[in-house]
């Protein structure tokens, strides 16, 4: 058996069995096309970051305080992922850390999207007043899109709390598990390529996947039941951009990593199969997030206008208060 394996191992380039190369090794192996490609992708990530900073200034000046933080967080999803992908492209050994940073940021964005929809409807208190007694359809993706027999659930303060908690848990636990993964990695216990039952990655990654699905469900429930009221605020394309970032940053990256681990993506010295798959994923992510940054900037670049129904209710409250004041004056 040893004599059969020896020729097989001798045909494998040593770089295919090594860890990702250093940044200096990446620069040394670049030809003219590779250098132009890396320069163009770096330029795209820088433009994405600059556009985001300019958008933050616009949001700070034009939008009300209650929505500034939420919209700034959501707008930062694509630029942050593009910037982290640029770092991962130039420094392949930092890919695990850049991916964890992007994923932790996006975990907060999932919760912020839910908060944004509630705030656009007037905030938690007005949301409860408006939908109190109404029933919400909960057979939505990604958990129960096929469970058409699920009953509609009445909206209440407890229900709203559970929806917020379902989205918030991912933002908290994702960060905690990422820190745990880094601690285990420093001790040699965490390796994304280690799929043995004794490895930490085979336990942490599926658990994080379950947390992700649970967090997406409350956001989908609120969107499916309120999007008709928020169409004037471009909530459908905003939600579509959020979903697109989710698919590209999570599903696309996972597919490429699986292909790399399977050996479908061949190694190309100084990159091993896994390092080359990560490099391709980072490059694709930069281009995709650059386009999403431009599109998202268009949808959020507006002066805030209160929803017609909210404005009408506020006017009614003012009229009632004025009538009460006149009655007291007459008395």
């Amino acid at each position: 058996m040893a004599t059969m394996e020896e020729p097989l191992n001798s045909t494998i380039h040593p770089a295919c069995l090594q860890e990702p190369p250093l940044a200096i090794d990446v620069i040394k192996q670049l030809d003219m096309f590779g250098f132009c490609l890396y320069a163009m992708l770096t330029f795209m990530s820088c433009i994405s970051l600059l556009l985001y900073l300019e958008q933050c200034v616009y949001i700070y000046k034009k939008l009300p305080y209650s929505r500034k933080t939420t919209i700034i967080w959501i707008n930062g999803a694509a630029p942050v992922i593009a910037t982290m992908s640029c770092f991962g492209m130039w420094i392949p050994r930092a890919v695990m850390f850049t991916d964890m940073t992007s994923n932790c940021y996006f975990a907060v964005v999932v919760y912020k999207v839910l908060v944004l929809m509630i705030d656009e409807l007037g905030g938690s208190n007005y949301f409860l007043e408006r939908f109190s007694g109404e029933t919400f359809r909960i057979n939505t993706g990604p958990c129960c899109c096929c469970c058409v027999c699920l009953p509609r659930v009445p909206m209440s303060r407890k229900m709203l709390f559970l929806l917020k908690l379902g989205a918030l848990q991912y933002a908290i636990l994702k960060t905690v598990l990422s820190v745990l993964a880094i601690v285990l990695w420093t001790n040699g216990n965490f390796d994304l390529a280690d799929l043995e039952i004794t490895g930490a990655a085979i336990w942490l990654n599926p658990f994080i996947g379950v947390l992700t699905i649970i967090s997406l469900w409350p956001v989908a429930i609120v969107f499916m039941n309120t999007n008709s009221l928020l169409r004037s605020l471009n909530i459908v394309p905003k939600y579509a951009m959020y979903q697109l970032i989710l698919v590209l940053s999570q599903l696309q990256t996972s597919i490429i990593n699986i292909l790399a681990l399977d050996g479908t993506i061949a190694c190309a010295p100084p990159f091993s199969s896994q390092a080359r798959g990560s490099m391709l994923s980072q490059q694709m992510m930069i281009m995709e997030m650059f386009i999403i940054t431009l599109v998202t900037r268009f949808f959020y670049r507006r002066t805030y206008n209160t929803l017609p129904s909210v404005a009408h209710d506020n006017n009614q409250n003012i009229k009632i208060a004025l009538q009460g004041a006149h009655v007291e004056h007459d008395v």
Side-chain angles (χ1 to χ4, degrees):
M1 181 65 69
T3 58
M4 294 179 63
E5 290 180 354
E6 186 174 352
L8 179 62
N9 291 334
S10 62
T11 61
I12 300 177
H13 196 282
C16 296
L17 304 175
Q18 295 175 356
E19 58 185 1
L22 297 172
I24 188 65
D25 296 328
V26 175
I27 296 175
K28 287 180 179 179
Q29 63 89 33
L30 288 177
D31 54 9
M32 182 56 66
F33 173 77
F35 182 80
C36 292
L37 176 64
Y38 272 55
M40 182 186 67
L41 293 175
T42 303
F43 177 75
M44 285 184 175
S45 63
C46 291
I47 292 297
S48 298
L49 188 59
L50 291 175
L51 288 176
Y52 171 61
L53 295 177
E54 190 273 337
Q55 183 78 339
C56 290
V57 175
Y58 176 86
I59 292 171
Y60 184 80
K61 291 181 178 180
K62 299 293 185 180
L63 271 65
Y65 176 79
S66 60
R67 289 164 180 81
K68 285 179 182 178
T69 304
T70 301
I71 296 179
I72 286 174
W73 267 98
I74 296 174
N75 272 265
V80 167
I81 294 175
T83 304
M84 290 297 103
S85 297
C86 185
F87 286 137
M89 180 183 67
W90 284 104
I91 312 174
R93 294 193 181 186
V95 166
M96 187 182 76
F97 302 99
T98 57
D99 285 349
M100 285 183 177
T101 303
S102 299
N103 293 335
C104 289
Y105 186 94
F106 188 76
V108 179
V109 170
V110 173
Y111 173 71
K112 290 296 183 180
V113 170
L114 175 64
V115 172
L116 176 65
M117 290 188 288
I118 295 175
D119 285 345
E120 294 285 26
L121 288 166
S124 297
N125 292 331
Y126 187 83
F127 183 89
L128 291 172
E129 292 178 7
R130 188 167 191 166
F131 296 103
S132 179
E134 294 189 21
T135 56
F136 272 35
R137 183 166 66 92
I138 62 173
N139 56 331
T140 62
C143 288
C144 304
C145 54
C146 298
C147 303
V148 294
C149 59
L150 284 177
R152 298 176 69 93
V153 178
M155 177 52 60
S156 62
R157 188 171 297 274
K158 181 180 178 181
M159 178 64 177
L160 181 60
F161 172 77
L162 291 176
L163 292 174
K164 289 184 176 181
L165 182 63
L168 182 61
Q169 53 83 23
Y170 179 51
I172 298 174
L173 294 178
K174 173 60 181 176
T175 305
V176 172
L177 293 176
S178 296
V179 173
L180 176 61
I182 292 174
V183 172
L184 294 175
W185 176 80
T186 58
N187 196 46
N189 301 114
F190 184 83
D191 184 8
L192 292 175
D194 182 14
L195 300 180
E196 297 294 332
I197 195 67
T198 56
I202 197 67
W203 296 99
L204 283 179
N205 290 339
F207 183 61
I208 291 175
V210 173
L211 295 179
T212 305
I213 294 175
I214 294 175
S215 69
L216 297 177
W217 193 24
V219 182
I221 290 174
V222 174
F223 173 77
M224 292 299 295
N225 289 276
T226 63
N227 69 84
S228 59
L229 302 173
L230 299 173
R231 289 185 181 275
S232 61
L233 303 180
N234 291 327
I235 195 62
V236 174
K238 289 176 183 177
Y239 187 80
M241 289 296 103
Y242 145 79
Q243 291 277 45
L244 185 59
I245 295 174
L246 170 69
V247 171
L248 294 176
S249 64
Q250 305 295 323
L251 185 59
Q252 174 184 271
T253 303
S254 299
I255 293 174
I256 293 177
N257 289 336
I258 291 172
L259 293 176
L261 291 173
D262 187 55
T264 304
I265 298 178
C267 68
F271 293 97
S272 63
S273 296
Q274 188 178 359
R276 186 163 179 247
S278 298
M279 179 194 65
L280 294 175
S281 176
Q282 308 301 319
Q283 293 175 349
M284 292 172 61
M285 200 75 67
I286 292 174
M287 292 185 287
E288 293 159 353
M289 293 302 125
F290 174 72
I291 297 173
I292 291 176
T293 299
L294 298 178
V295 177
T296 303
R297 183 174 181 270
F298 170 76
F299 288 129
Y300 284 93
R301 199 170 183 83
R302 65 176 179 85
T303 303
Y304 181 80
N305 295 314
T306 307
L307 284 174
S309 55
V310 176
H312 176 73
D313 291 344
N314 290 337
N315 292 334
Q316 291 295 328
N317 293 334
I318 293 174
K319 290 180 180 179
I320 292 173
L322 291 176
Q323 290 176 357
H326 285 308
V327 170
E328 291 179 359
H329 179 71
D330 293 340
V331 173

